[in-house]
């Protein structure tokens, strides 16, 4: 299959026309969102959704997020809309925020991975919503990487993984947020945070009160434990390098990196110049959003550099930092050293 790329920033009408035609025909299209690129297909058509699992090489028990363009599109997908979801949608949507509810019968078990619930998101990206509106369908979409690869933050990375596997990729430039959406479940009370992302725990708690943070957000799942979110039990992207997070100030970090041979540092902006070893930066120490925008790219760069052993500066876990920490600790195989 030939994979065509259309740039929506320069060929807006053509991008919408072509994506709508393919999506209505039950095909899979790579689409930009503000978080990461998605592999989209008609969420109401089982055969279309099955093609996503094939293109991505994804285990069938790992459910997909359904993307909508307006609030009215939510009701048909769920049994009922909990009051807190209305409040959250009103305050945040469109946003990097996915909310889980009991599903309606219209949502197939292929989408929900046989769970009784469905995850729904209204993306903030104007391009993503325009694509959904122009085909007139709710779109099931996981991140547009092969299972086990990093989530793609630009169209080239989607092409690298999906060339020959899907007919069309819509190029909307770099993703603003750079890590996947916040996932929170309202299928239980109090609501449970399953994955931190661009809408922060603090912002949500200020609005709706108590939220339980699932164990898997910060810790490794015990062998044999049941994951609240099936995605959490699968291996996440880690560069080939062996990464350890170092919880310390910069001076101790620098001493450690320079006391050993062949260390590559994963550090904050402005620190590269102060280190005598090889290094890759991943954003401003005090700005979680600048870290999230850079993180997956920085991890890819470590591989390109052929890094073998990496020491990483530790992000703080407040605000957007929680999402950054959650991805980095997985890339590090949960190895953290406090000095
Ligand atoms: O930002 C994002 O969320 C991107 C863009 C494309 O929207 N999508 C994305 O999808 O990251 P994916 O499939 O890579 O991650 C979705 C996560 C998985 O860990 C999955 O297990 C979980 O959400 N999930 C989906 N439906 C669920 C459900 N009903 N119950 C529990 N977890 C669910
Ligand atoms: Mg993913």
């Amino acid at each position: 299959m030939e994979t065509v790329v259309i740039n929506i920033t320069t060929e807006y009408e053509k991008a919408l026309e072509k994506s709508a035609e393919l999506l209505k025909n039950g095909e899979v299209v790579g689409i930009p969102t503000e978080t990461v690129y998605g592999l989209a297909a008609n969420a109401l058509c089982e055969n279309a959704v099955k093609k996503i699992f094939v293109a991505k090489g994804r285990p069938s028990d790992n459910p997909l997020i359904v993307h909508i363009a307006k609030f009215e599109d939510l009701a048909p997908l769920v049994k009922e809309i909990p009051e807190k979801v209305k409040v959250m949608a009103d305050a945040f949507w469109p946003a990097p925020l996915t909310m889980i509810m009991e599903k309606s019968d219209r949502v197939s078990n292929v989408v929900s991975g046989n769970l009784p619930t469905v995850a729904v998101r209204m993306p903030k990206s104007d391009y993503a919503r325009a694509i959904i509106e122009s085909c007139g369908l709710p779109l099931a979409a996981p991140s547009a990487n092969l299972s086990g690869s990093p989530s793609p933050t630009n169209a080239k990375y989607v092409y690298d993984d999906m060339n020959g596997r899907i007919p069309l990729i819509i190029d909307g430039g770099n993703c603003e947020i750079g890590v996947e959406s916040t996932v929170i479940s309202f299928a239980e009370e109090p609501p449970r945070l399953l994955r931190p992302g661009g809408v922060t725990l603090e912002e949500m708690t200020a609005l709706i009160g108590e939220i339980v943070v699932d164990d898997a957000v910060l810790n490794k799942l015990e062998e044999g434990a049941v994951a609240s979110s099936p995605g959490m039990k699968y291996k996440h992207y880690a560069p080939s390098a062996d990464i350890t997070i170092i919880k310390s100030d910069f001076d101790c970090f620098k001493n450690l990196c320079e006391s050993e041979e062949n260390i590559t540092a994963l550090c904050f902006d402005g620190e590269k110049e102060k280190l005598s070893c090889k290094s890759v930066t991943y954003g401003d120490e005090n700005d979680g959003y600048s870290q999230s925008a850079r993180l997956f790219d920085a991890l890819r760069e470590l591989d390109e550099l052929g890094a073998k052993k990496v020491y990483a500066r530790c992000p703080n876990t407040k605000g957007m930092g929680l999402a950054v920490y959650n991805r980095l600790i997985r890339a590090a195989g949960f190895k953290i050293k406090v000095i």
Side-chain angles (χ1 to χ4, degrees):
M1 175 188 307
E2 197 204 342
T3 302
V4 175
V5 180
I6 303 177
N7 188 319
I8 194 167
T9 66
T10 53
E11 294 188 281
Y12 190 75
E13 297 300 332
K14 184 176 165 195
L16 292 184
E17 245 167 62
K18 198 69 197 152
S19 58
E21 180 191 319
L22 286 164
L23 290 165
K24 283 193 240 175
N25 272 330
E27 296 297 334
V28 178
V29 176
I31 65 164
T33 86
E34 76 280 16
T35 56
V36 299
Y37 275 72
L39 269 189
N42 179 357
L44 303 176
C45 170
E46 282 194 357
N47 281 333
V49 174
K50 281 180 186 161
K51 288 182 190 168
I52 298 177
F53 286 91
V54 174
K56 198 174 152 76
R58 182 176 180 115
S60 62
D61 70 344
N62 195 358
L64 305 177
I65 296 172
V66 179
H67 296 70
I68 57 175
K70 19 182 217 322
F71 187 73
E72 299 85 270
D73 299 339
L74 174 62
L77 301 172
V78 299
K79 268 218 174 102
E80 61 176 339
I81 305 177
E83 208 45 49
K84 285 183 184 171
V85 169
K86 288 183 195 154
V87 173
M88 290 276 288
D90 199 41
F92 297 119
W93 272 1
L97 171 69
T98 298
M99 296 194 272
I100 294 176
M101 284 153 270
E102 273 187 65
K103 77 176 187 71
S104 74
D105 293 340
R106 294 185 67 182
V107 177
S108 143
N109 282 325
V110 180
V111 172
S112 73
N114 283 315
L115 292 174
T117 51
V118 63
V120 186
R121 170 160 114 85
M122 188 194 295
K124 181 168 163 232
S125 159
D126 292 339
Y127 294 138
R129 290 200 320 284
I131 291 166
I132 300 167
E133 296 231 41
S134 67
C135 69
L137 298 164
L139 296 179
S143 51
N145 50 287
L146 288 172
S147 269
S149 299
S151 293
T153 51
N154 64 45
K156 184 190 170 294
Y157 295 151
V158 181
Y159 190 83
D160 290 347
D161 273 16
M162 290 298 148
N163 182 21
R165 294 174 162 260
I166 58 174
L168 177 66
I169 297 168
I170 302 297
D171 183 350
N174 288 332
C175 299
E176 182 194 334
I177 304 278
V179 297
E180 308 85 348
S181 62
T182 303
V183 178
I184 177 169
S185 175
F186 290 88
E188 56 190 289
E189 184 53 40
R192 178 181 291 264
L193 177 68
L194 301 180
R195 181 174 76 182
V199 173
T200 65
L201 178 61
E202 291 87 341
E203 287 172 306
M204 297 189 294
T205 307
L207 187 71
I208 59 166
E210 187 186 2
I211 294 169
V212 174
V213 177
D214 196 88
D215 250 0
V217 167
L218 289 168
N219 304 304
K220 191 176 181 169
L221 271 180
E222 297 285 326
E223 204 70 47
V226 177
S228 310
S229 183
M232 290 197 251
K233 70 175 187 257
Y234 292 107
K235 190 175 175 319
H236 278 255
Y237 172 69
S240 0
D242 177 46
I243 304 184
T244 305
I245 298 179
I246 307 300
K247 205 166 181 182
S248 72
D249 61 16
F250 177 71
D251 289 338
C252 292
F253 177 79
K254 176 178 156 73
N255 282 341
L256 180 69
C257 290
E258 294 175 352
S259 67
E260 288 180 42
E261 296 285 301
N262 292 323
I263 296 296
T264 307
L266 179 60
C267 59
F268 296 124
D269 295 350
E271 294 177 348
K272 201 180 173 84
E273 300 70 20
K274 299 179 192 154
L275 291 164
S276 62
C277 59
K278 277 196 286 187
S279 63
V280 169
T281 58
Y282 78 103
D284 184 311
E285 178 171 11
N286 299 308
D287 179 2
Y289 288 92
S290 100
Q291 293 163 16
S292 72
R294 272 284 300 151
L295 184 67
F296 286 141
D297 255 7
L299 295 178
R300 286 174 193 259
E301 273 174 40
L302 290 172
D303 271 347
E304 282 159 19
L305 276 178
K308 297 271 182 305
K309 189 166 180 193
V310 174
Y311 286 145
R313 291 276 272 137
C314 187
N316 84 44
T317 53
K318 298 216 170 63
M320 190 58 188
L322 185 63
V324 175
Y325 183 85
N326 170 271
R327 306 317 188 272
L328 187 56
I329 192 91
R330 281 168 171 72
F334 294 89
K335 288 192 298 300
I336 182 157
K337 196 168 170 172
V338 184
I339 47 176

